[in-house]
Amino acid sequence: MTDFFKNIPTIKYEGPGTSNEFAFRHYNPDEVVMGKRMEDHLRFAVAYWHSFAWPGGDPFGGQTFERPWFGDSMALAKMKADVAFEMFDILGTPFYAFHDADARPEGATFAESLRNLEEIVEYLAEKQASHKAKLLWGTANLFSHRRWMSGAATNPDPEVYAYAAATVKSCLDATMKLGGQNYVLWGGREGYETLLNTDLAQERAHAGRFLQSVVDYKHKIGFQGAILIEPKPQEPSKHQYDYDVATVYGFLKDFGLEKEVQVNIEQGHAILAGHSFEHEIALATSLGIFGSIDMNRNDYQSGWDTDQFPNNHAEKAVAFYEIIRAGGYTKGGTNFDAKIRRQSLDPEDLILAHVGGMDTCARAFKAAAALFEADALEAKRRERYAGWQSAEAKAMLTQPLEAVAASVLAQNINPQPRSGRQERLENLWNDYI
């Protein structure tokens, strides 16, 4: 045990009326909703990078956090893992997620970095064996080091492509060894700053081949988890090739991967792409590529991805409603890709940020589940599209354009607009939220 979280109790559910700051008000992991425990519905995960590796910087200033495990030795990497699992125990979270660079120190060579990764993976496996938390997903950091400044799979230097392939292989191996349920690829540098020095077609082709090789390797080693792409439109690149869910789907179709790869959707990235979180989830589920989510929020007055903890249950309920409509998670979960503010220096801040986020999600999920179980909104949706249930309407979809046009003349069809009843449905929604 370390003493980083000393005097912080294990967080328990005490209900909405509690005055205890270190307690859940809405998240009861054992509460049964729609026939399943809340913990099994929400599948919370803690992000290793924001909670234990981030130094507290922003675009205008450097490190504000002083953590006893910050440094480049394996001993400090193991201390970081000790602190991480202590926090998982305090919160009772069933999962965590990490990049290779979050967990192990960078070596002078790839071989040294690989040895460091393999050593820390052995240590994490020991921690998992004696603690509740397991790995939701692993990934490779292909964006922080200067070698990635012009991309990884899309880099104009073939040696960087090769280094990226070796890195992803090692991280997929690590994810499988730790029993991870997913493997995520985020292309933060897979894009361009200017078209003046970019062969967009070649870079996109290389990104497609890279992903094909990842999928091939997944099957070769027998990894049973899902391969996920995390869309984002820009930042750090000016334009990224995984802009949003629709763009990713087109990319997957182009390279024959739409049955092999799903998406991990982040609220902050959806906002940067000009969409809502629920839109991206609904589109992914309709296309059959929904996998998992990164839960956070953006500051709507800032121009960058602020990765704040969620605190608006009404906003999150719309997203969870779409997940419920789709049947819930399979291998995915609710990963807190969120960081405390750089002036939030205390260990208590880190714990309470997650407590608030978990309560917000639980409150949102229960409201969305109640509305879905009541069938009130879905009944209105079915009613709106009821005309398409007739045999005549269904047959029209198989007819040529001229036949449909002829039926309009023959039947003197003159449709009249019908209300979409948006305000009524918004009032219905608010009754449950």
Side-chain angles (χ1 to χ4, degrees):
M1 294 290 291
T2 71
D3 63 357
F4 187 74
F5 292 117
K6 63 182 178 182
N7 302 323
I8 297 180
T10 300
I11 309 299
K12 303 292 187 182
Y13 173 74
E14 295 184 6
T18 186
S19 60
N20 180 10
E21 190 177 19
F22 291 90
F24 293 121
R25 288 159 173 75
H26 301 282
Y27 175 60
N28 178 357
D30 294 318
E31 180 180 354
V32 175
V33 177
M34 298 180 66
K36 190 158 68 172
R37 296 172 64 249
M38 282 290 290
E39 180 178 275
D40 299 327
H41 274 300
L42 291 169
R43 292 168 61 84
F44 285 129
V46 174
Y48 219 87
W49 52 99
H50 283 327
S51 291
F52 310 109
W54 183 56
D58 67 14
F60 306 100
Q63 179 173 338
T64 60
F65 297 158
E66 295 179 352
R67 306 301 196 204
W69 58 85
F70 281 177
D72 295 326
S73 71
M74 286 304 301
L76 291 175
K78 291 177 181 179
M79 180 193 295
K80 183 194 300 183
D82 292 339
V83 171
F85 275 84
E86 287 173 15
M87 192 173 101
F88 306 155
D89 289 345
I90 289 170
L91 294 169
T93 48
F95 295 108
Y96 68 103
F98 76 102
H99 302 82
D100 55 339
D102 307 326
R104 56 97 179 113
E106 183 81 11
T109 63
F110 177 79
E112 183 180 351
S113 291
L114 180 59
R115 287 193 298 272
N116 291 344
L117 178 63
E118 290 173 343
E119 183 176 344
I120 201 64
V121 164
E122 290 291 342
Y123 195 71
L124 291 171
E126 294 173 10
K127 304 297 285 188
Q128 287 186 184
S130 57
H131 294 261
K132 173 181 176 178
K134 302 297 183 283
L135 185 63
L136 182 67
W137 50 262
T139 185
N141 182 325
L142 303 179
F143 49 89
S144 292
H145 194 281
R146 66 192 298 269
R147 75 172 64 90
W148 312 121
M149 67 179 186
S150 298
T154 60
N155 201 289
D157 183 345
E159 288 191 349
V160 177
Y161 181 102
Y163 202 105
T167 301
V168 169
K169 176 191 177 296
S170 69
C171 291
L172 192 50
D173 289 339
T175 300
M176 183 170 175
K177 183 175 181 62
L178 290 171
Q181 299 192 22
N182 308 268
Y183 184 83
V184 172
L185 297 108
W186 176 60
R189 303 286 183 190
E190 311 294 27
Y192 61 81
E193 301 297 331
T194 175
L195 284 173
L196 297 178
N197 66 1
T198 300
D199 186 334
L200 189 152
Q202 182 172 353
E203 289 193 0
R204 191 172 179 276
H206 289 178
R209 176 61 198 130
F210 191 93
L211 186 57
Q212 287 172 336
S213 68
V214 171
V215 170
D216 290 343
Y217 186 67
K218 164 196 165 172
H219 291 303
K220 186 174 294 184
I221 64 175
F223 178 61
Q224 297 301 307
I227 301 295
L228 308 177
I229 287 182
E230 183 169 323
K232 189 177 184 181
Q234 76 278 329
E235 193 204 47
S237 298
K238 176 183 177 180
H239 181 98
Q240 289 170 209
Y241 300 133
D242 51 4
Y243 192 98
D244 58 7
V245 168
T247 305
V248 169
Y249 186 70
F251 176 85
L252 296 178
K253 290 282 286 185
D254 215 13
F255 294 96
L257 296 169
E258 70 275 14
K259 302 297 184 184
E260 294 281 1
V261 179
Q262 299 173 330
V263 286
N264 181 59
I265 301 169
E266 178 182 317
Q267 158 123 18
H269 296 178
I271 300 300
L272 287 177
H275 306 305
S276 67
F277 195 21
E278 59 269 22
H279 165 83
E280 291 289 85
I281 294 170
L283 182 58
T285 60
S286 71
L287 295 171
I289 59 170
F290 175 71
S292 192
I293 66 170
D294 274 1
M295 176 58 75
N296 57 26
R297 81 180 197 272
N298 272 8
D299 184 322
Y300 291 107
Q301 280 74 52
S302 295
W304 66 86
D305 188 10
T306 54
D307 287 328
Q308 295 173 251
F309 278 86
N311 65 356
N312 184 335
H313 77 280
E315 181 181 62
K316 303 306 178 189
V318 196
F320 278 120
Y321 190 86
E322 294 300 329
I323 293 174
I324 290 169
R325 283 188 72 208
Y329 298 121
T330 51
K331 296 178 183 295
T334 306
N335 177 53
F336 286 110
D337 190 357
K339 56 194 177 192
I340 55 178
R341 300 302 85 193
R342 66 196 299 266
Q343 64 269 37
S344 298
L345 303 178
D346 299 336
E348 290 84 352
D349 297 325
L350 189 54
I351 296 295
L352 293 176
H354 284 85
V355 170
M358 293 164 77
D359 264 345
T360 295
C361 291
R363 190 177 181 189
F365 185 89
K366 286 188 282 189
L371 178 56
F372 185 79
E373 285 193 301
D375 198 41
L377 188 59
E378 295 310 301
K380 298 295 185 184
R381 198 192 310 266
R382 290 193 299 272
E383 180 184 338
R384 190 176 185 215
Y385 292 91
W388 286 99
Q389 296 305 309
S390 71
E392 184 179 7
K394 291 178 180 179
M396 181 173 61
L397 295 175
T398 66
Q399 295 170 351
L401 188 67
E402 63 272 21
V404 177
S407 70
V408 173
L409 290 171
Q411 299 175 42
N412 192 27
I413 292 175
N414 186 25
Q416 299 302 309
R418 289 180 290 175
S419 175
R421 299 179 174 180
Q422 180 172 331
E423 292 74 21
R424 293 185 185 184
L425 298 178
E426 289 170 345
N427 291 345
L428 172 63
W429 179 266
N430 285 337
D431 284 343
Y432 285 82
I433 301 304

